[in-house]
C-alpha cells in the first residue's frame, strides 16, 4: 500500500512537471533495459530526476509511462486502459456501487508485482476518483463537484 501511494505521488509529480525533459539520456543500462522491455515503443520522451529515469511513450496505440532506477531496473509502469480491460470483479463492483456514473478514464499502475487501477467516474454533478485493486477492493480517493 505504501509503495502504491509512493507511485501515485511520483506520477503526480510527473504531471506537475517536476521532471526535466532529457531527450538523450546517457545511461546505457536504462536504455538497454527499456529497448528490451518495450522494443516497439514509439514517440519516446525521457524525463529525469536525481535518481530516476521516466520514459513516456506510445505502445500499441496506448500512452504508457515507465519508471527506471539508475541501474536499469523497471520500478513501475502506468498506462491508460479501457473498461473492457479491467478485471471482471472490478468492473462488476463499479457497476453495482456506482450505477449512475460512467467511466471517464482508467489508469493501470503496475509496481512490485501488484496491479492497481485509478478510475475516474463521471455523473451529471461530479467526478469520483477511485482506486481499485485487482482483487476487487475499491477505495474512493476524491469526489469533485462540477462547476
Amino acid at each position: 500500500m505504501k509503495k502504491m501511494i509512493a507511485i501515485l505521488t511520483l506520477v503526480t509529480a510527473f504531471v506537475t512537471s517536476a521532471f526535466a525533459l532529457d531527450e538523450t539520456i546517457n545511461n546505457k543500462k536504462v536504455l538497454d533495459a527499456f529497448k528490451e522491455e518495450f522494443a516497439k515503443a514509439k514517440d519516446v520522451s525521457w524525463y529525469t530526476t536525481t535518481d530516476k529515469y521516466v520514459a513516456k511513450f506510445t505502445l500499441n496505440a496506448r500512452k504508457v509511462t515507465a519508471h527506471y532506477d539508475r541501474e536499469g531496473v523497471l520500478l513501475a509502469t502506468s498506462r491508460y486502459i479501457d473498461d473492457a480491460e479491467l478485471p471482471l470483479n472490478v468492473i462488476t463492483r463499479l457497476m453495482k456501487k456506482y450505477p449512475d456514473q460512467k467511466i471517464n478514464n482508467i489508469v493501470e499502475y503496475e509496481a512490485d508485482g501488484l496491479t492497481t487501477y485509478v478510475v475516474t467516474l463521471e455523473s451529471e454533478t461530479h467526478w469520483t476518483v477511485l482506486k481499485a485493486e485487482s482483487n476487487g477492493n475499491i477505495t474512493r480517493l476524491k469526489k469533485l463537484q462540477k462547476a
Side-chain angles (χ1 to χ4, degrees):
M1 183 66 158
K2 289 180 183 178
K3 290 181 182 180
M4 187 48 61
I5 291 170
I7 295 297
L8 292 175
T9 302
L10 183 62
V11 171
T12 302
F14 176 74
V15 171
T16 59
S17 301
F19 294 91
L21 178 60
D22 185 1
E23 293 291 339
T24 57
I25 63 169
N26 294 321
N27 187 317
K28 184 171 174 22
K29 289 179 186 178
V30 173
L31 288 173
D32 288 347
F34 177 81
K35 288 176 185 174
E36 184 176 327
E37 185 74 27
F38 302 107
K40 295 185 180 187
K42 297 188 182 342
D43 304 320
V44 181
S45 296
W46 285 97
Y47 301 81
T48 60
T49 66
T50 55
D51 60 343
K52 293 188 179 66
Y53 292 94
V54 178
K56 289 189 69 163
F57 54 96
T58 304
L59 183 66
N60 298 329
R62 302 279 180 180
K63 291 181 180 182
V64 180
T65 303
H67 300 260
Y68 287 89
D69 69 11
R70 293 212 170 269
E71 297 302 313
V73 175
L74 180 61
L75 302 171
T77 60
S78 64
R79 69 181 180 138
Y80 287 92
I81 64 170
D82 296 323
D83 58 350
E85 297 172 90
L86 282 171
L88 185 58
N89 58 349
V90 172
I91 194 71
T92 55
R93 283 193 179 168
L94 286 173
M95 291 169 49
K96 185 176 181 178
K97 194 168 182 177
Y98 301 94
D100 62 329
Q101 297 185 49
K102 67 176 185 159
I103 294 175
N104 186 283
N105 67 55
I106 306 166
V107 180
E108 175 189 72
Y109 295 93
E110 290 192 30
D112 298 323
L114 300 173
T115 304
T116 57
Y117 307 89
V118 175
V119 181
T120 303
L121 302 176
E122 182 178 8
S123 74
E124 289 185 26
T125 60
H126 62 275
W127 289 278
T128 305
V129 181
L130 308 167
K131 181 183 105 177
E133 299 173 6
S134 296
N135 63 8
N137 289 337
I138 296 174
T139 306
R140 188 174 83 181
L141 300 175
K142 294 182 206 177
K143 186 173 181 178
L144 306 166
Q145 292 297 318
K146 289 184 174 180

